[in-house]
Amino acid sequence: MSFSELFEFLHALNRHNNKEWMDEHRKLYHEVRDFYIEWLNELDIKLAKIDPEYVPTTGKQAINRINNNLLFHPNKPVYKDHFGAGLDKEKGKGDFYIHIGINECFVAGGFYRPRKELLDSIRAAIDYNGEEFLKILNKKSFRDTFGALIEEEKLKTSPKGYDNDHRYIELLRNKTFAVTHDLTKQQILRDDFQEHLVKVYKEMLPFRNYLNHAVTV
């Protein structure tokens, strides 16, 4: 089994996105899923070796369901067009998310539209020491790898408790504090794909550490 076969399975699933097709190809699905889980297990070990605060996360714990939640999103297809997984997973912290699909592939980290108490903690950390956060965001290798924060809806005014002329007001107006790194199919099919993700993880680590410490103090 390989990532090439994983992509082939996703393409086939996308063409026949119904329970009947999945039931007929359930064995293949489990073979693909088991391959990806084992691959995640290997990456999990590598990441744990380079980050003393890493929370070991097995592939089975990391991988997301391939079924869409039709109860809340009834207009979506029955199945997703990707495999998603979150490593370094701990309640209340931002994980290291890997998204491998037929339409987009990327890794991401941070907090995407966090709940109010987490968002308040992040803003408090920026208020206290936004200079450190800016240094992380403006580091050349970081910008080369991730660009800027994910562009999401921002407050038009200042958050409650902060002045409009706050020196970090542009950061404080954000509702999402996350970054992404796009992946190509060619990168994923290479033998050194895990090594590439290890490098991306290392580059993202100060960003995630800042945010994770902000929500746990």
Side-chain angles (χ1 to χ4, degrees):
M1 189 58 64
S2 66
F3 276 109
S4 179
E5 291 167 291
L6 181 148
F7 279 116
E8 289 177 5
F9 171 80
L10 287 175
H11 278 289
L13 177 61
N14 191 57
R15 292 193 301 269
H16 310 279
N17 202 313
N18 57 70
K19 186 177 184 302
E20 291 73 22
W21 186 91
M22 177 63 94
D23 287 343
E24 292 178 9
H25 298 82
R26 185 76 55 182
K27 182 175 181 293
L28 175 60
Y29 163 66
H30 282 293
E31 289 174 353
V32 172
R33 185 176 183 273
D34 289 347
F35 155 76
Y36 190 40
I37 285 174
E38 184 55 38
W39 184 88
L40 289 167
N41 285 336
E42 295 173 3
L43 180 60
D44 179 64
I45 293 171
K46 292 180 179 179
L47 297 183
K49 289 180 179 179
I50 63 172
D51 178 8
E53 296 187 19
Y54 183 86
V55 178
T57 311
T58 66
K60 197 168 183 179
Q61 293 171 321
I63 195 168
N64 296 339
R65 289 172 54 86
I66 200 166
N67 305 65
N68 275 312
N69 190 331
L70 300 182
L71 178 62
F72 295 102
H73 304 283
N75 296 323
K76 284 191 174 184
V78 179
Y79 302 104
K80 301 171 184 175
D81 63 358
H82 64 272
F83 282 99
L87 291 168
D88 191 21
K89 186 178 288 186
E90 185 174 18
K91 187 177 180 180
K93 293 185 178 182
D95 60 19
F96 182 69
Y97 176 72
I98 305 171
H99 183 108
I100 297 180
I102 59 176
N103 291 312
E104 56 181 353
C105 301
F106 62 88
V107 293
F111 289 84
Y112 184 78
R113 296 181 180 177
R115 62 182 186 271
K116 183 180 184 304
E117 56 266 34
L118 297 180
L119 184 56
D120 287 345
S121 294
I122 293 171
R123 285 174 172 157
I126 293 171
D127 177 48
Y128 176 73
N129 189 6
E131 188 62 31
E132 179 185 349
F133 196 44
L134 280 177
K135 285 181 180 178
I136 294 170
L137 296 176
N138 292 330
K139 183 181 176 184
K140 184 179 184 304
S141 57
F142 184 90
R143 295 187 70 87
D144 289 344
T145 306
F146 306 108
L149 290 171
I150 291 177
E151 287 295 326
E152 278 287 316
E153 181 186 0
K154 300 176 70 168
L155 293 175
K156 294 180 180 179
T157 59
S158 61
K160 185 177 180 180
Y162 299 96
D163 295 331
N164 280 324
D165 59 354
H166 193 289
R167 63 183 298 194
Y168 304 122
I169 190 60
E170 289 306 314
L171 283 175
L172 294 171
R173 284 177 176 154
N174 282 295
K175 295 182 180 180
T176 285
F177 290 88
V179 293
T180 62
H181 172 78
D182 290 336
L183 300 167
T184 66
K185 185 177 179 181
Q186 289 71 28
Q187 286 175 315
I188 294 170
L189 296 179
R190 285 171 58 97
D191 292 337
D192 64 351
F193 178 42
Q194 281 195 356
E195 284 62 40
H196 177 73
L197 290 188
V198 169
K199 291 179 181 177
V200 173
Y201 184 90
K202 287 181 178 179
E203 191 63 52
M204 192 189 292
L205 193 53
F207 172 79
R208 293 179 60 246
N209 281 344
Y210 182 96
L211 296 174
N212 284 335
H213 293 167
V215 300
T216 55
V217 294

